[in-house]
Amino acid sequence: MPITTTVITGATSGIGKETALALAKKDHAIYMLVRDTQKAEEIRQEIISITKNKNIYIVPCNLADMESVCNAANTLMHSVTAINVLINNAGGIFADRLESKDGYEMTFAVNHLSHFLLFNKLLPLLQKGQARIINVSSEAHRIGKPDFNDLQWTKRPYSAWKAYGMAKLFNIYFTRAVATRFGPKGISAFALHPGLVNTGFGTGLTGMGKVLMWLLRPFMISAETGARTTIYLATASRIDSKSGGYFKNRHVASTSATDENGRNMLWDLSMEMIAPFLTA
């Protein structure tokens, strides 16, 4: 039986690590796109030790640096013949407005634009592998209210939670756009809410954001539990008819990401932003 080739961002901790471990147990070849290669090597050895699956690989990739994303994509283009599963798992929330190496607001860059670029760079491999694209979103998308004239938060006061909510909304917009545009070419796409997971998420927050995370901690679930929906979407059979769906607890859920015009506008603006990198 052919090996399933899976690419995942953010696999060195939390639900990303648990996802990589679970899929390695199912004999997937795992390509971990990571910023910290030393930590990734420790995780790689741990996964191999547990699963006896030696097809675990590390690809350097800093999602705050579009050149690094391009380099990672180029490495994959020369390493594999097809990709069957792409899991856009990495993300983050930032207390203050920061900019990526390329001058994009960090929440937007790390949670959306870098993964958008990765998808487009890998598109030939994804089409060849009839891939599933899995985007880890959040219920925080419900507070996302995008201003397409100010995606970089330069014209209005920056809010960590509002910026994060907007980025998670964009994860679902992206999912639905991929399902619509590339479904006829054999690519399916799914978004999910992993649950309120007890990881290092939000550790850099201050003020009320920090207090909120502290208050929520008793209600948080483990990373292993939080990874279940991602694992389900990566392995379940006969779910292509649900492509474009937003999932919670392994079931399709309602979402506020229903603005088709917003979805198309995001796609067009994102394409403009990544255009200089597509030939890199």
Side-chain angles (χ1 to χ4, degrees), residues 24-25 27 46-56:
K25 289 179 180 178
D27 295 323
E46 181 182 343
I47 291 175
I48 292 173
S49 175
I50 294 171
T51 66
K52 311 307 178 188
N53 180 349
K54 295 183 179 180
N55 292 313
I56 313 298

Side-chain angles (χ1 to χ4, degrees), residues 157-171:
Y158 174 80
S159 162
W161 280 108
K162 289 180 181 179
Y164 181 72
M166 185 180 77
K168 294 292 103 177
L169 178 70
F170 289 169
N171 291 159

Side-chain angles (χ1 to χ4, degrees), residues 93-94 138 140 143-144 153 158-167 196 201-202 205 208-210 212-213 216:
I93 185 170
F94 303 92
S138 167
I143 64 170
W153 294 84
Y158 174 80
S159 162
W161 280 108
K162 289 180 181 179
Y164 181 72
M166 185 180 77
L196 193 59
F201 176 82
L205 292 174
M208 287 305 298
K210 184 176 182 179
L212 177 61
M213 294 303 294
L216 291 173

Side-chain angles (χ1 to χ4, degrees), residues 25-43:
K25 289 179 180 178
K26 296 179 181 293
D27 295 323
H28 286 218
I30 308 292
Y31 287 81
M32 303 188 298
L33 272 57
V34 300
R35 184 180 66 235
D36 186 340
T37 55
Q38 183 175 346
K39 182 178 180 181
E41 180 58 31
E42 295 173 2
I43 300 302

Side-chain angles (χ1 to χ4, degrees), residues 105-117:
E105 189 276 316
M106 192 69 81
T107 317
F108 177 80
V110 170
N111 290 278
H112 167 66
L113 195 62
S114 55
H115 286 124
F116 186 84
L117 173 61

Side-chain angles (χ1 to χ4, degrees), residues 14-19 21-22 25 194 197-199 221-231:
I15 61 175
K17 176 185 174 182
E18 294 296 336
T19 299
L21 175 61
K25 289 179 180 178
V197 183
N198 189 7
T199 64
I221 60 177
S222 68
E224 183 179 3
T225 301
R228 288 176 181 172
T229 300
T230 304
I231 297 163

Side-chain angles (χ1 to χ4, degrees), residues 32 39 62 78 101 104-105 129 169 178-179 201 207 227 239 273:
M32 303 188 298
K39 182 178 180 181
N62 182 354
H78 289 92
K101 180 182 176 182
Y104 298 113
E105 189 276 316
L169 178 70
V178 169
F201 176 82
I239 62 168
M273 292 177 191

